Amino acid sequence: MEERRRFARTSAAYRVELTNPAFGTLVGSTRDISDGGAQVVLDSELVPPVGTAVDVVFKKIVGPVNAQPVAMKVMHTHKNVVGLMFVGR
């Protein structure tokens, strides 16, 4: 299978908050992250549909990685795992 990713992925474990007015805030953690996006395992069974715009805050133990939410888009889902792409990249 041909690799289509433009950015190298790095294993990373950050807590993540995904927010959208339609469903509120969902919490999960990253499996990996790259300059193009992140793969997130959600703590709930509620999964936003592909194409949903979300505001995302990445957190570490002592506080947020990003003070302001970043715009991302749901690109794919599988069970409680979502693939997110940074918008504007």
Side-chain angles (χ1 to χ4, degrees):
M1 179 182 227
E2 179 184 337
E3 178 62 51
R4 298 182 320 182
R5 288 184 176 82
R6 295 184 355 202
F7 304 103
R9 293 184 293 174
T10 302
S11 291
Y14 294 108
R15 292 301 290 168
V16 179
E17 291 180 353
L18 287 76
T19 304
N20 178 288
F23 55 75
T25 300
L26 299 176
V27 178
S29 57
T30 59
R31 277 191 181 164
D32 59 55
I33 193 166
S34 73
D35 287 343
Q39 185 176 57
V40 175
V41 180
L42 297 173
D43 292 348
S44 71
E45 293 181 13
L46 175 64
V47 176
V50 170
T52 302
V54 291
D55 291 323
V56 180
V57 175
F58 295 91
K59 296 184 172 194
K60 52 188 175 181
I61 293 172
V62 293
V65 173
N66 53 310
Q68 296 297 317
V70 293
M72 299 187 82
K73 180 179 177 181
V74 177
M75 299 304 292
H76 61 84
T77 64
H78 179 72
K79 298 184 181 180
N80 68 327
V81 178
V82 294
L84 301 174
M85 178 180 75
F86 291 109
V87 175
R89 293 218 171 225

